[in-house]
C-alpha cells in the first residue's frame, strides 16, 4: 500500500507532508476497518480502490469467504427486490403517490394512517377468528339451555312492539340498531361453551385473552410507528436547520420521464419549500418577542383555556344526560329516535365544539400556528372526553355504578332492563360505529359535493368567500381515531366489530380521496410528514388507553350476565384463569403463578423497574452528551480542514510563475491513486474562508483531500 501510495507522475511537485500524512492515516484506517465497502461514504471509484487495498494481489481469499460474500450479496439483492415488489403491489401505492405529490406529505400521511388502521383491524380480526371463531365452530359447543327464571319482580318485562311501523321498517331498523344480529357471533351473547374439564381447548380463555392480546399488539405497533415518526429535530436539537441548498440541488428525481410524474414531483418540491419557509418565519417571530409580550400572551392563554374548558365540561355533561335519558326511556313511543340520541349528541358536540374553539381563539389575534395548535389540543380533549363520558354513563345505567337498585344488589347489574348487559353495551357501540360512518358519507355527498357545485356554478363575492371546503387533516384524523377507539372498546362485547370497521375504513379511503381531489381545497397550513405521523400515533395511543381502562375494569371486577355468554356461571370473566390454572398446571407451577400475581412480588418488580428506568435515563443523558461532543468535534475537524487548505494554498506556487512545471498530463493524473480525507462539511458547519488573491485551490493535491463524496 505504501509503495502504491507513494507513486507520483514525472515532473509533479512533491506532495506536502501534512496532507500526505492525513491521507495515509485515512487509508490505513479504511484498510483495517471491518465496515462493508458498500456503506462507506465514497464514490464508486474509491470503493473499488478500497476493495483492491483490502485484497492485494497475490493473496487469495478462501472459498468459504467467497461463498459467504456471494451469499450476502445475493440475499441483499433478493431482499431489495422483495421490498420493491411489496411496494409496487402494496395497497393504494399509486393513490398515495399521487396525493403526496399534489398535496404534500402531510395530507399523504393521513391516507397512510388509514392504511395502517386497516391492516391493524385485519390483524385483530385474524387473531379473533383463529383463536375463538374457528375453534368454536370446530368443537361444536352444546346448544344454549333455557333461560333462567328470575325471582326478582320487575316493574315491566320486555319491550313493547312499536305501533304503526311496518315489518320492513322494523327489520331495517333492527339492522341499524344491531338487534337483528343478537343471536349471531357478532355479539357476546351467542358464544357458548361446555364445562372447562370436558375439553382440551378453552374457548373461554381464548375469548378472554384475545381482546387483551389485540390491545397489546396494537400498543406495540403504535409505539413502534410513533418512535419512527418522531421529528428529527428532537434528536438533532432545536438549533439544527436543514439547508435549503441541499433540497434545491438534490430533490429532483432524474429517473422521471413522464409529464404527469414530473408535475407531481414539482408540486412535492414546492410543498417542501413552503413548509421550510413557514417554519423559519414562525421561529423568527418567536425569537423577536419581548418578555412583556410573552407575559401578555400567557395571560391570554389562561383566559382562553378557561373558557374552552368550561365549554368542554358543558359538552360532556350534555353527552352524559343524553345517554342516561336514552337508556331510561326505552319504553316510550319515541324509542326509535332515542336509539340514536347519544351518537347524535356526540356528533353535534364534536361539530360545534371546534367551531366555538376557533371563534374564541381568533378573538385574541393569535399567530396562525398558535391558533391551530391550541384549537387542535382542545379538539383532542373533546373527542376523548366525549367517548369517556359516554362509556361512564353506560356503566352507570347498565352496571348501576353509583346507583342503588334492587336488581343491582341481587345480580351486580340492572337485571330488570338488561338481562344480557354485554349485548346491550355491544349494541350501543355498534350504533356509534354505524353512525360515525353514515356521518362521513353524508358530509361527503350532502355537504361537500353540493358546496363545490354551487361555488363552480355561481360567481360573486359571497361564493368567492365561501369557496370549496378546506381539507383539514387534524379533523379527519380525529374522526377516524374516534371510530377506532369505539372498535377497541367493543372487542369484548362485539368481537366482530373490527370486521365492520375494516369495511368502513376501506370505503372511507375512497370517499376522502374523492373529497380531496374533487370537492376540497388543500389547507394553507402545511403539515410535515414526521410531525403528522407522530401526532396521529399519539392521539391513537390515547384512544387505546381510553378503551383499555374500562375493558380491564369489566373483565376483572364486573359480574357477567346470568343467562347469556361464555361467563354466565362466573362472578367475573377473569375467574376462568385461576380455574384453568388449577386444572391444567401442577402445584409447583400454581404456586409460582400465584406468587407472581401477589403483592409480595409487586415490590421487587417495582424496585427492578426503577433501576432499569434509572439506567435508561443515565444512558440517554450520556448519549446526549456524547452527541454534543461529536458535533463540536465535527465542526472542529471541518475548521482544521480549511486551515489545511489555507496552508496548502500559501505554500503552492502561484499560477503563471516561472517555477511552474507545466500542466499535468492525463496519464500522470490517472495513474495516481485517489486519497481520502475525513471530516467532510456538514449542514450547519462553518463554510470556507475567503480565498486569498492568487491562491490555487485547483492543484491536484488539494483536490484529492477535498474531493466531494456522495
Amino acid at each position: 500500500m505504501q509503495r502504491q501510495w507513494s507513486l507520483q507522475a514525472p515532473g509533479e511537485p512533491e506532495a506536502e507532508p501534512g496532507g500526505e500524512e492525513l491521507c495515509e492515516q485515512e487509508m490505513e484506517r479504511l484498510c483495517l476497518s471491518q465496515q462493508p465497502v458498500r456503506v462507506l461514504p465514497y464514490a464508486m471509484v474509491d470503493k473499488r480502490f478500497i476493495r483492491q487495498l483490502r485484497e492485494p494481489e497475490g493473496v487469495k481469499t478462501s472459498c468459504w469467504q467467497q461463498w459467504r460474500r456471494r451469499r450476502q450479496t445475493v440475499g441483499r439483492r433478493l431482499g431489495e427486490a422483495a421490498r420493491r415488489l411489496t411496494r409496487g403491489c402494496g395497497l393504494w401505492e399509486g393513490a398515495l403517490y399521487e396525493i403526496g405529490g399534489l398535496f404534500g406529505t402531510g395530507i399523504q400521511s393521513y391516507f397512510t394512517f388509514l392504511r395502517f388502521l386497516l391492516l391493524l383491524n385485519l390483524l385483530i380480526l385474524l387473531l379473533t377468528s383463529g383463536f375463538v371463531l374457528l375453534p368454536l365452530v370446530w368443537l361444536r359447543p352444546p346448544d344454549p339451555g333455557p333461560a333462567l327464571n328470575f325471582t326478582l319482580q320487575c316493574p315491566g318485562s320486555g319491550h313493547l312492539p312499536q305501533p304503526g311501523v311496518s315489518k320492513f321498517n322494523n327489520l331495517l331498523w333492527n339492522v341499524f340498531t344491531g338487534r337483528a344480529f343478537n343471536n349471531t357471533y357478532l355479539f357476546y351473547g351467542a358464544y357458548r361453551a361446555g364445562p372447562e374439564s370436558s375439553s382440551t381447548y378453552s374457548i373461554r380463555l381464548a375469548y378472554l385473552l384475545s381482546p387483551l392480546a389485540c390491545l397489546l399488539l396494537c400498543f406495540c405497533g403504535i409505539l413502534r410507528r410513533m418512535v419512527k415518526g418522531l421529528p428529527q429535530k428532537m434528536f438533532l436539537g432545536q438549533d439544527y436547520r436543514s439547508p435549503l441548498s441541499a433540497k434545491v440541488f438534490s430533490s429532483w428525481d432524474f429517473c422521471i420521464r413522464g409529464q404527469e410524474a414530473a408535475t407531481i414531483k414539482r408540486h412535492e418540491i414546492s410543498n417542501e419549500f413552503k413548509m421550510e419557509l413557514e417554519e423559519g418565519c414562525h421561529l423568527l417571530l418567536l425569537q423577536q418577542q419581548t418578555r412583556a409580550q410573552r407575559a401578555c400572551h400567557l395571560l391570554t392563554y389562561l383566559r382562553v383555556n378557561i373558557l374552552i374548558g368550561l365549554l368542554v365540561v358543558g359538552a360532556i355533561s350534555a353527552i352524559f344526560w343524553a345517554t342516561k335519558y336514552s337508556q331510561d326511556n326505552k319504553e316510550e313511543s319515541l324509542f326509535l329516535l332515542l336509539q340514536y340520541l347519544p351518537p347524535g349528541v356526540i356528533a353535534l358536540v364534536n361539530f360545534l365544539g371546534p367551531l366555538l374553539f376557533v371563534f374564541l381563539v381568533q378573538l385574541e389575534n393569535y399567530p396562525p400556528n398558535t391558533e391551530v395548535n391550541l384549537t387542535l389540543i382542545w379538539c383532542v380533549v373533546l373527542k376523548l372526553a366525549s367517548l369517556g363520558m359516554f362509556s361512564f354513563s353506560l356503566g352507570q345505567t347498565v352496571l348501576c355504578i353509583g346507583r342503588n337498585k334492587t336488581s343491582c344488589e341481587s345480580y351486580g347489574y340492572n337485571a330488570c332492563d338488561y338481562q344480557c348487559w354485554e349485548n346491550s353495551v355491544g349494541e350501543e357501540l355498534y350504533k356509534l360505529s354505524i353512525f360515525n360512518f353514515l356521518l362521513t358519507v353524508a358530509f361527503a355527498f350532502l355537504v361537500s359535493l353540493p358546496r363545490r357545485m354551487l361555488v363552480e356554478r355561481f360567481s360573486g363575492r359571497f361564493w368567492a368567500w365561501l369557496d370549496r371546503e378546506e381539507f383539514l387533516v387534524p379533523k379527519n384524523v380525529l374522526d377516524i381515531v374516534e371510530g377506532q377507539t369505539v372498535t377497541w372498546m367493543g372487542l369484548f362485547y362485539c368481537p366482530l366489530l373490527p370486521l365492520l370497521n375494516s369495511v368502513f375504513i376501506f370505503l372511507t379511503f375512497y370517499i376522502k380521496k374523492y373529497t380531496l381531489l374533487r370537492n376540497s381545497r388543500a389547507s394553507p397550513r402545511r403539515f410535515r410528514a414526521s410531525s403528522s405521523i407522530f401526532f396521529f400515533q399519539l392521539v391513537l395511543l390515547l384512544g387505546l388507553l381510553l378503551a383499555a381502562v374500562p375493558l380491564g375494569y369489566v373483565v376483572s371486577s364486573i359480574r357477567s350476565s346470568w343467562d347469556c355468554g361464555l361467563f354466565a356461571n362466573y362472578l367475573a370473566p377473569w375467574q376462568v384463569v385461576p380455574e384453568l390454572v388449577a386444572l391444567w398446571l401442577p402445584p409447583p407451577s400454581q404456586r409460582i403463578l400465584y406468587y407472581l400475581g401477589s403483592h409480595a412480588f409487586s415490590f421487587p418488580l417495582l424496585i427492578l423497574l426503577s433501576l432499569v428506568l434509572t439506567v435508561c435515563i443515565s444512558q440517554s443523558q450520556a448519549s446526549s452528551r456524547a452527541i454534543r461532543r461529536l458535533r463540536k468535534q465535527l465542526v472542529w475537524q471541518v475548521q482544521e480542514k480549511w486551515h489545511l487548505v489555507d496552508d496548502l494554498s500559501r505554500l503552492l506556487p502561484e499560477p503563471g510563475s516561472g517555477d511552474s512545471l507545466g500542466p499535468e498530463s492525463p496519464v500522470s493524473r490517472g495513474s495516481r491513486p485517489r486519497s481520502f480525507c475525513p471530516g467532510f462539511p456538514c449542514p450547519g458547519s462553518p463554510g470556507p474562508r475567503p480565498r486569498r488573491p492568487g491562491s490555487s485551490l485547483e492543484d491536484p493535491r488539494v483536490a484529492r483531500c477535498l474531493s466531494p463524496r456522495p
Side-chain angles (χ1 to χ4, degrees):
M1 180 184 69
Q2 185 68 25
R3 180 187 61 80
Q4 186 180 3
W5 179 252
S6 60
L7 289 177
Q8 292 184 2
E12 184 183 348
E14 186 178 356
E16 300 298 331
E20 291 294 338
E21 289 180 2
L22 186 64
C23 297
E24 287 180 3
Q25 291 176 4
E26 181 67 9
M27 293 293 296
E28 184 177 359
R29 185 187 68 83
L30 290 173
C31 292
L32 298 177
S33 175
Q34 299 296 328
Q35 193 175 11
V37 179
R38 62 184 180 86
V39 300
L40 295 176
Y42 297 110
M44 292 301 298
V45 178
D46 299 336
K47 290 181 179 180
R48 295 190 187 99
F49 183 65
I50 295 173
R51 184 175 284 110
Q52 292 176 4
L53 292 178
R54 289 184 178 181
E55 298 177 359
E57 297 181 2
V59 179
K60 296 184 178 180
T61 57
S62 62
C63 298
W64 166 255
Q65 292 179 348
Q66 294 179 0
W67 177 83
R68 184 179 178 183
R69 184 179 302 166
R70 290 195 197 97
R71 185 178 62 85
Q72 292 177 353
T73 304
V74 172
R76 185 177 68 252
R77 291 177 180 176
L78 288 177
E80 293 175 355
R83 284 191 292 270
R84 288 195 300 267
L85 183 63
T86 304
R87 287 194 298 266
C89 301
L91 184 62
W92 301 326
E93 285 293 335
L96 291 175
Y97 176 76
E98 180 184 5
I99 292 171
L102 295 177
F103 300 97
T105 56
I107 295 180
Q108 181 193 30
S109 61
Y110 164 71
F111 290 91
T112 308
F113 182 65
L114 283 177
R115 182 175 64 177
F116 169 70
L117 289 183
L118 177 61
L119 298 177
L120 209 61
N121 282 276
L122 292 178
L123 176 62
I124 295 174
L125 180 64
L126 181 63
L127 290 176
T128 304
S129 303
F131 289 100
V132 179
L133 285 178
L134 294 180
L136 192 65
V137 174
W138 179 264
L139 295 176
R140 294 182 181 179
D143 295 332
L148 291 174
N149 293 323
F150 292 100
T151 57
L152 181 66
Q153 297 295 328
C154 298
S157 60
H159 298 284
L160 297 176
Q162 302 299 325
V165 182
S166 64
K167 183 177 180 180
F168 173 76
N169 290 338
N170 267 333
L171 179 61
L172 183 62
W173 188 255
N174 287 336
V175 170
F176 280 105
T177 57
R179 292 195 170 187
F181 310 106
N182 262 337
N183 296 324
T184 64
Y185 286 140
L186 181 63
F187 292 106
Y188 164 85
Y191 292 82
R192 296 297 180 95
E196 293 298 332
S197 58
S198 62
S199 62
T200 57
Y201 185 85
S202 176
I203 299 294
R204 291 185 178 88
L205 185 63
Y207 189 92
L208 177 65
L209 296 183
S210 292
L212 303 180
C214 292
L215 293 179
L216 182 61
L217 287 177
C218 293
F219 176 78
C220 295
I222 293 171
L223 198 63
R224 179 175 175 271
R225 283 178 61 90
M226 196 160 111
V227 172
K228 289 177 61 178
L230 280 175
Q232 295 182 359
K233 291 184 180 179
M234 297 182 63
F235 302 100
L236 298 175
Q238 297 295 330
D239 298 332
Y240 177 80
R241 293 291 178 271
S242 58
L244 290 177
S245 58
K247 295 184 180 295
V248 170
F249 294 105
S250 63
S251 295
W252 186 255
D253 186 2
F254 289 93
C255 296
I256 293 178
R257 296 183 180 273
Q259 182 64 32
E260 183 179 358
T263 304
I264 292 176
K265 190 63 178 180
R266 282 196 297 268
H267 282 287
E268 182 180 351
I269 297 174
S270 174
N271 292 331
E272 288 290 332
F273 282 126
K274 289 177 182 178
M275 283 188 293
E276 290 287 345
L277 295 176
E278 285 181 4
E279 291 179 357
C281 293
H282 178 64
L283 180 64
L284 185 61
L285 291 176
L286 291 179
Q287 292 176 350
Q288 292 176 351
Q289 288 183 353
T290 62
R291 291 185 177 180
Q293 291 175 342
R294 293 176 183 174
C296 182
H297 286 169
L298 180 60
L299 294 177
T300 307
Y301 281 153
L302 293 177
R303 182 177 60 196
V304 171
N305 287 330
I306 290 174
L307 291 177
I308 295 178
L310 294 177
L311 288 177
V312 171
V313 171
I316 61 178
S317 301
I319 294 172
F320 172 78
W321 290 111
T323 307
K324 187 175 182 299
Y325 183 79
S326 173
Q327 298 297 321
D328 291 343
N329 296 274
K330 284 190 171 184
E331 306 301 331
E332 299 292 335
S333 58
L334 295 177
F335 172 59
L336 295 179
L337 297 178
L338 294 177
Q339 283 281 333
Y340 273 88
L341 180 62
V345 173
I346 292 175
L348 184 63
V349 163
N350 290 323
F351 176 73
L352 296 179
L355 297 180
L356 294 176
F357 298 162
V358 171
F359 175 73
L360 290 176
V361 173
Q362 286 180 349
L363 289 178
E364 305 296 337
N365 295 324
Y366 286 130
N369 288 328
T370 305
E371 175 184 330
V372 172
N373 294 334
L374 186 60
T375 306
L376 183 57
I377 291 173
W378 280 109
C379 289
V380 172
V381 173
L382 181 61
K383 280 279 186 182
L384 299 180
S386 61
L387 289 179
M389 181 54 66
F390 175 72
S391 177
F392 174 75
S393 58
L394 271 182
Q396 190 181 47
T397 306
V398 177
L399 304 177
C400 303
I401 299 177
R403 301 175 65 183
N404 294 323
K405 277 191 174 183
T406 307
S407 60
C408 296
E409 295 176 358
S410 303
Y411 300 98
Y413 63 96
N414 191 358
C416 289
D417 298 330
Y418 307 96
Q419 294 185 4
C420 187
W421 66 266
E422 291 90 351
N423 274 18
S424 300
V425 175
E427 288 176 8
E428 294 297 328
L429 298 174
Y430 171 85
K431 287 185 292 185
L432 189 57
S433 181
I434 290 284
F435 189 81
N436 288 337
F437 176 70
L438 293 179
L439 205 61
T440 301
V441 177
F443 265 96
F445 297 103
L446 300 181
V447 177
S448 300
L449 180 60
R451 180 176 175 178
R452 187 259 298 176
M453 296 175 66
L454 291 174
V455 169
E456 291 180 351
R457 176 66 177 81
F458 300 100
S459 61
R461 182 176 300 178
F462 172 76
W463 301 108
W465 170 81
L466 183 62
D467 204 0
R468 296 187 178 189
E469 181 187 5
E470 184 178 342
F471 192 88
L472 297 175
V473 175
K475 175 184 176 300
N476 290 280
V477 168
L478 291 180
D479 292 339
I480 199 66
V481 167
E482 181 185 7
Q484 186 61 44
T485 305
V486 172
T487 302
W488 283 329
M489 294 171 65
L491 285 178
F492 184 78
Y493 317 103
C494 190
L496 295 184
L497 195 58
L499 174 62
L500 194 65
N501 195 38
S502 300
V503 177
F504 290 163
I505 292 176
F506 185 82
L507 297 177
T508 300
F509 182 91
Y510 291 100
I511 293 173
K512 291 297 182 180
K513 179 187 173 184
Y514 173 78
T515 303
L516 175 65
L517 297 177
R518 302 296 182 184
N519 302 332
S520 301
R521 56 186 174 90
S523 175
R525 183 178 185 270
R526 304 289 172 176
F527 292 91
R528 189 173 295 277
S530 58
S531 303
S532 302
I533 293 174
F534 179 76
F535 166 72
F536 298 165
Q537 305 303 324
L538 179 61
V539 177
L540 192 62
L541 184 61
L542 294 177
L544 178 64
L545 297 178
L546 179 63
V549 171
L551 180 60
Y553 175 72
V554 167
V555 166
S556 61
S557 304
I558 300 299
R559 190 165 191 168
S560 303
S561 298
W562 284 84
D563 64 335
C564 70
L566 293 169
F567 307 99
N569 299 323
Y570 294 89
L571 295 178
W574 189 256
Q575 284 194 348
V576 72
V577 176
E579 178 184 350
L580 292 175
V581 168
L583 284 176
W584 291 353
L585 296 180
S589 301
Q590 296 180 26
R591 286 194 293 268
I592 293 175
L593 288 179
Y594 288 146
Y595 174 73
L596 294 178
S598 63
H599 294 286
F601 179 72
S602 60
F603 294 105
L605 181 63
L606 183 61
I607 294 174
L608 180 62
L609 291 178
S610 301
L611 292 176
V612 172
L613 183 62
T614 304
V615 171
C616 291
I617 293 176
S618 302
Q619 288 182 350
S620 176
Q621 293 176 354
S623 300
S624 300
R625 290 193 296 268
I627 289 173
R628 288 194 295 269
R629 287 196 300 267
L630 289 174
R631 288 176 184 168
K632 293 180 181 179
Q633 183 180 358
L634 183 61
V635 174
W636 176 80
Q637 288 182 354
V638 174
Q639 292 175 352
E640 288 295 321
K641 171 178 279 191
W642 288 112
H643 282 301
L644 177 62
V645 170
D646 290 339
D647 296 340
L648 290 175
S649 61
R650 269 197 315 270
L651 295 174
L652 290 176
E654 296 182 1
S657 58
D659 55 350
S660 175
L661 299 177
E664 184 182 15
S665 64
V667 179
S668 63
R669 187 165 54 244
S671 62
R672 186 184 303 110
R674 301 182 62 89
S675 60
F676 303 87
C677 193
F680 303 104
C682 60
S685 62
R689 295 186 178 184
R691 188 168 56 180
R692 297 181 180 181
S695 62
S696 176
L697 296 183
E698 286 76 15
D699 189 82
R701 286 170 293 179
V702 182
R704 283 204 303 268
C705 281
L706 294 178
S707 57
R709 308 297 177 194

